[in-house]
C-alpha cells in the first residue's frame, strides 16, 4: 500500500527488474511529464523528480475504487493503461464532481494536495500508472497525512497548540 489509510495493491515501478521497462518509464512518462510540470505548474524543471510510481489495478473481484484522499506529492499524474472497453465505471473524481477517464495512454496532472478519489469499477478491470512528483526535497507526504487526520476530526498538533493558547473555545 502506498498510503497507510488508503491502501492499494500496487506494483512499484522501481521494483521492476527489467531495465528496458525502467527506461521506457523514464523516457516515455517521467521526462515528458516533468517537462509539462515545469511549464504548467511553473516549477524549476531541474528540481522536479519522481518520488514514487506504481501501477494499480481496480477490478470488480478486488479493489473497486479509492475513497477521497490527498497524495503525498507536490504534483500527481495518473496515466490510463487500460482500453476503456475493458471496464465500466472508474475514473478519477475531484470534490467539484468532475470525473476524468482518459483513454489508454492518456492521463491527468494535478496538485497532489487536491482531494480526489477513484470511482468504483462496475465491470472488468482498469489499470493505471500513478506517479508522485516532488520538487527538490518537498514531497507533501507529511502534509497529506496531517490533512487526512484533520478531516477525520483529529486536530493533530494544531489542536494541541489551540488548546494551550486557549484559542477556538
Amino acid at each position: 500500500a502506498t498510503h497507510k489509510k488508503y491502501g492499494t495493491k500496487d506494483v512499484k515501478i522501481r521494483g521492476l527488474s527489467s531495465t528496458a521497462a525502467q527506461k521506457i518509464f523514464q523516457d516515455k512518462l517521467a521526462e515528458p511529464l516533468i517537462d509539462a510540470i515545469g511549464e504548467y505548474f511553473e516549477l524549476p524543471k531541474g528540481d522536479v523528480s519522481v518520488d514514487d510510481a506504481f501501477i494499480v489495478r481496480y477490478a470488480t473481484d478486488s479493489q473497486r475504487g479509492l475513497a477521497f484522499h490527498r497524495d503525498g506529492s507536490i504534483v500527481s499524474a495518473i496515466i490510463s493503461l487500460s482500453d476503456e472497453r475493458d471496464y465500466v465505471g472508474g475514473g478519477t473524481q475531484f470534490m467539484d464532481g468532475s470525473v476524468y477517464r482518459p483513454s489508454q495512454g492518456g492521463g491527468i496532472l494535478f496538485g497532489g494536495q487536491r482531494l480526489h478519489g477513484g470511482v468504483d469499477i462496475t465491470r472488468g478491470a482498469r489499470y493505471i500508472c500513478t506517479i508522485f512528483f516532488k520538487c527538490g526535497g518537498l514531497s507533501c507526504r507529511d502534509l497529506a497525512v496531517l490533512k487526512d487526520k484533520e478531516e477525520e476530526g483529529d486536530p493533530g498538533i494544531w489542536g494541541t497548540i489551540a488548546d494551550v493558547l486557549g484559542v477556538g473555545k
Side-chain angles (χ1 to χ4, degrees):
T2 298
H3 190 294
K4 289 178 186 171
K5 182 178 173 196
Y6 303 99
T8 56
K9 295 176 181 161
D10 310 334
V11 174
K12 297 284 191 179
I13 299 294
R14 69 174 167 254
L16 298 175
S17 59
S18 166
T19 54
Q22 293 278 352
K23 182 165 176 30
I24 290 168
F25 171 78
Q26 191 62 36
D27 295 347
K28 302 293 184 184
L29 284 176
E31 289 303 326
L33 289 172
I34 288 170
D35 288 343
I37 290 167
E39 182 177 345
Y40 296 109
F41 289 86
E42 298 182 0
L43 294 172
K45 207 167 66 168
D47 291 343
V48 176
S49 63
V50 173
D51 193 26
D52 199 3
F54 46 96
I55 296 169
V56 180
R57 177 182 185 260
Y58 294 108
T60 55
D61 65 351
S62 60
Q63 179 180 352
R64 293 175 163 281
L66 190 60
F68 279 99
H69 64 283
R70 289 178 175 84
D71 295 335
S73 62
I74 297 291
V75 176
S76 296
I78 299 175
I79 311 300
S80 182
L81 303 177
S82 299
D83 185 300
E84 48 272 7
R85 295 171 293 197
D86 293 343
Y87 63 94
V88 174
T92 302
Q93 182 173 16
F94 293 94
M95 292 299 289
D96 65 2
S98 58
V99 177
Y100 294 87
R101 291 185 68 215
S103 56
Q104 187 175 38
I108 59 172
L109 278 173
F110 58 94
Q113 293 305 293
R114 186 173 178 195
L115 275 170
H116 63 285
V119 177
D120 281 358
I121 295 292
T122 58
R123 183 187 61 75
R126 177 180 187 232
Y127 292 86
I128 62 170
C129 179
T130 299
I131 309 169
F132 293 166
F133 292 92
K134 63 182 179 178
C135 185
L138 301 175
S139 72
C140 291
R141 287 187 188 274
D142 294 338
L143 181 61
V145 171
L146 176 66
K147 286 190 177 248
D148 284 344
K149 283 183 179 179
E150 286 174 357
E151 287 170 6
E152 292 168 358
D154 177 355
I157 187 67
W158 301 116
T160 304
I161 292 170
D163 289 345
V164 169
L165 297 176
V167 177
K169 292 186 177 183

